[in-house]
Amino acid sequence: MPQTLSTPCVSVCTLDAAGRTCLGCGRTLEEIGAWPALSETERRAIMARLSARPAGASQ
């Protein structure tokens, strides 16, 4: 049975003006690129931090 990955993706894949942060999910390009290799614990930690980020802010 395939395991699904936790993700904040909302299928609105648009980058901010600086081209570094997704306006849909709030993740940085580095976080998006690393996502498949991260553990579930690491993914959940990033998702917990997303709500503290200002909308469209590059982190």
Side-chain angles (χ1 to χ4, degrees):
M1 171 184 284
Q3 181 180 357
T4 60
L5 299 178
S6 295
T7 180
C9 182
V10 294
S11 297
V12 178
C13 303
T14 304
L15 297 177
D16 65 357
R20 301 212 16 93
T21 303
C22 177
L23 296 175
C25 68
R27 292 179 292 171
T28 65
L29 289 180
E30 292 79 13
E31 290 167 339
I32 293 167
W35 204 256
L38 297 176
S39 69
E40 183 66 16
T41 301
E42 291 168 318
R43 285 187 225 111
R44 288 185 185 274
I46 290 170
M47 289 190 295
R49 291 191 302 263
L50 291 178
S51 63
R53 294 181 184 174
S58 293
Q59 295 285 318

